[in-house]
Amino acid sequence: MGNKKIPERPVDFIREIIREDIKSGRFGGRVHTRFPPEPNGYLHIGHAKAICINFDIAKEFGGKCNLRFDDTNPAKEEEEYVEAIKQDIRWLGYDWEDRLYFASDYFEKMYEYAMILIKKGKAYVCDLSPEEIREYRGTLTEPGKESPYRQRSIEENLDLFERMRKGEFPEGSKTLRAKIDMSSPNINLRDPVMYRIIKKIPHHRTEYKWCIYPTYDWAHGLEDSIEGITHSLCSLEYENHRPLYDWFLDQLGIYHPRQIEFARLNMTYTVLSKRYLSELVKRKIVRGWDDPRMPTLAGMRRAGYPPEAIRKFCRQIGVAKTDSVIDIELLEHFVRECLNRTAQRRMVVINPLKLVIENYPEEKVEELVAINNPENPDDGTRKIPFSKVLYIEKDDFMENPPEKFYRLAPGREVRLRYAYFVKCTEVVKDASGNIVEIRCIYDPGSRNISQDKRKSKAIIHWVSAKHCIEIEVRLYDRLFIKKDPLEFPEGTDFTANLNPNSLKIIENCKAEPYLAGAKSGDRFQFERIGYFVCDPDSTQQKLVFNRTVSLKDEWQKIKKFFTSQP
Ligand code: ATP
Ligand code: MG
């Protein structure tokens, strides 16, 4: 029933456009892209898509890609985010080299450009309040009304705009607006605001130097133009803004990059918007931006996602011109695929049950050889101590098993991974009837699996009680129970869809001693349990591991990955 085919990559219309531009000599055959985050939150997997597109395209065409912080709104931006964003891009595997820019470095230049537009009679100072501007704007079906300040003289506008910059007017009392067309069918062209006054909040880089700040529409094309960008790739919501992007550059008659829009990444069981993500952080629903349940790059790093898997995922979904929702299982598939190749195996018992081998000598310890990664022989082998008292997983024993249970049960036999066959002879219970220990006998001749004729339908993992170390395991699950967390009952909000079991902490898990050398960020497969990563909360006394993903590839069950694509 399962459809195992990875969804086909959509036709890459962006690369087609770029190839044509190169052929026709537009931009002199150059390719120069940019990734322009606003430093108002951490990057999420949607940004990863944009990063991969911009950096990959630059590389493929022998071009360049800038990292530019679009820091035009001091009310939301912070230095903390600048540093986090840089770290995340590097972690993802991309390098902007010496091409790090800040929109705020262009404020002076932008101001000069604004003066040029005023002098051309293409911009004016408007005294309407933000609410009035909205009212005057009209609707999709009705044209807007012209501002009573639209006919101010050029001289008056120049004077007022200079005084706006000097800080003579209170916040919200004046804006600079482009004089375009109040009845344009495209609302974005109805005299959009270019500058607003923001006074009491310091900018993270220019502090109080400026009290007028450019809007996205005014600033973005200028930033691209100043940097000599050729192809300004952005998400689909800017398609209706492109006429404005073009209008400003045309009016100024300056270098004119080409804006191309692509579909945003949406994914099931998560929200990809800084607004919602920062709410989760502020309301302490998660531990922070790097909580392993967050769809942020910092969260995914902490969850143990290899950056390679994220890059492969982004390349596979490719670029499309229509919005779609990608199943999160596709991302998890790439994570598993990568970890299966790269993560070393270890034995860890999460819910320990004591197993005593009655016919095994009291003090004897054997060093058994275990393969570190069957997918990668170069990873070699390690030794695991075996002794009389072991721990196995509680789930691997049943007192009254159904027929199809192939693991351990009274009178039944099972193979221990890298070790012997054991047969259960007795179940020990406490006063209230809980199983506290099981007793077995082992078959000393069964150690060499290739010489043993018996087939075991199950092979279970174990650790030696005397030698194991205790670790903390954090079992993370999806943060939301609903495919679309933004679909919530009236009177509630998206937190109504939170998964109450998205984190389960298990304190005293038993791990083979070899795991003691793990360092924060090291990734493993705990045999038969899942993929785990060593968490930075780990101390000398206790290692902490986060579950990255379970072993089960739910992907096989999935019919379609593009759930809402036409
Ligand atoms: P958010 O809605 O999460 O706040 P944003 O678009 O406001 O995102 P920016 O920092 O302005 O965040 O985005 C930087 C770049 O990343 C932009 O070019 C934007 O188009 C792109 N981007 C943001 N979210 C996605 C997404 N989900 N899929 C693809 N690209 C995205
Ligand atoms: Mg934005």
Side-chain angles (χ1 to χ4, degrees), residues 359 411-416 419-424 441-459:
N359 59 340
R412 289 198 194 172
E413 201 173 44
V414 75
R415 178 174 276 288
L416 297 174
Y420 303 93
F421 264 105
V422 290
K423 183 177 193 171
C424 175
I441 51 167
Y442 87 118
D443 173 358
S446 63
R447 181 164 151 190
N448 193 329
I449 203 163
S450 56
Q451 285 171 18
D452 201 281
K453 297 235 160 44
R454 277 169 299 181
K455 277 238 156 56
S456 179
K457 283 209 172 146
I459 298 178

Side-chain angles (χ1 to χ4, degrees), residues 135-192:
E135 268 168 46
Y136 275 66
R137 191 177 291 141
T139 63
L140 282 174
T141 47
E142 281 167 59
K145 267 192 307 182
E146 291 190 355
S147 159
Y149 306 98
R150 202 174 199 260
Q151 300 310 331
R152 274 180 167 150
S153 71
I154 291 174
E155 290 65 37
E156 192 183 0
N157 282 321
L158 285 173
D159 173 62
L160 288 173
F161 187 52
E162 267 176 75
R163 288 165 59 198
M164 271 171 72
R165 176 186 179 161
K166 284 189 193 136
E168 288 185 22
F169 307 114
E171 246 178 62
S173 64
K174 283 184 171 42
T175 56
L176 183 74
R177 297 177 69 179
K179 195 190 271 191
I180 309 181
D181 179 2
M182 285 312 289
S183 54
S184 169
N186 183 341
I187 293 185
N188 294 313
L189 296 178
R190 295 184 189 168
D191 291 10

Side-chain angles (χ1 to χ4, degrees), residues 201-424:
I201 306 166
H203 184 276
H204 74 116
R205 298 186 86 227
T206 59
E207 300 192 333
Y208 292 101
K209 177 165 182 220
W210 292 87
C211 62
I212 52 171
Y213 287 93
T215 56
Y216 176 92
D217 282 325
W218 166 240
H220 207 82
L222 298 182
E223 295 162 19
D224 287 342
S225 176
I226 291 167
E227 291 176 17
I229 299 303
T230 57
H231 299 87
S232 178
L233 313 177
C234 60
S235 33
L236 221 49
E237 70 268 29
Y238 295 108
E239 196 170 19
N240 290 333
H241 295 246
R242 185 173 0 115
L244 188 49
Y245 182 100
D246 291 336
W247 189 89
F248 281 131
L249 295 175
D250 286 342
Q251 291 303 320
L252 290 167
I254 56 176
Y255 170 77
H256 194 148
R258 173 172 192 167
Q259 175 177 308
I260 307 171
E261 308 85 18
F262 60 86
R264 276 176 93 85
L265 170 64
N266 300 300
M267 218 161 54
T268 55
Y269 296 103
T270 194
V271 285
L272 294 185
S273 153
K274 277 179 275 191
R275 184 159 80 83
Y276 292 110
L277 296 177
S278 68
E279 221 177 300
L280 291 169
V281 174
K282 272 191 220 126
R283 288 165 65 179
K284 298 204 172 12
I285 290 164
V286 293
R287 281 180 46 163
W289 286 96
D290 69 345
D291 187 296
R293 292 164 292 184
M294 292 281 270
T296 53
L297 295 184
M300 291 181 175
R301 174 166 60 239
R302 193 154 184 184
Y305 281 35
E308 178 197 343
I310 298 176
R311 291 197 302 269
K312 279 191 171 172
F313 166 77
C314 290
R315 285 170 193 160
Q316 190 60 43
I317 56 172
V319 287
K321 247 190 284 200
T322 38
D323 272 314
S324 66
V325 183
I326 306 290
D327 274 304
I328 198 166
E329 288 88 347
L330 183 62
L331 174 59
E332 291 169 351
H333 163 77
F334 281 104
V335 171
R336 285 192 185 95
E337 184 269 329
C338 181
L339 291 175
N340 182 44
R341 275 186 291 112
T342 56
Q344 291 202 8
R345 275 55 168 172
R346 296 289 182 266
M347 293 210 281
V348 172
V349 174
I350 301 235
N351 291 305
L353 172 63
K354 200 190 251 187
L355 182 155
V356 181
I357 306 173
E358 298 195 309
N359 59 340
Y360 198 87
E362 200 70 43
E363 297 303 324
K364 185 170 173 180
V365 179
E366 283 177 276
E367 298 263 285
L368 307 181
V369 177
I371 294 164
N372 281 328
N373 183 356
E375 303 292 323
N376 180 17
D378 290 348
D379 278 342
T381 58
R382 67 187 186 284
K383 294 207 167 123
I384 308 181
F386 184 86
S387 66
K388 186 178 178 73
V389 183
L390 311 175
Y391 289 113
I392 63 165
E393 216 62 69
K394 267 194 184 126
D395 285 352
D396 284 335
F397 176 81
M398 275 184 94
E399 198 176 8
N400 301 300
E403 208 171 310
K404 288 254 160 83
F405 185 82
Y406 299 118
R407 291 164 275 167
L408 212 51
R412 289 198 194 172
E413 201 173 44
V414 75
R415 178 174 276 288
L416 297 174
R417 183 87 161 132
Y418 298 119
Y420 303 93
F421 264 105
V422 290
K423 183 177 193 171
C424 175

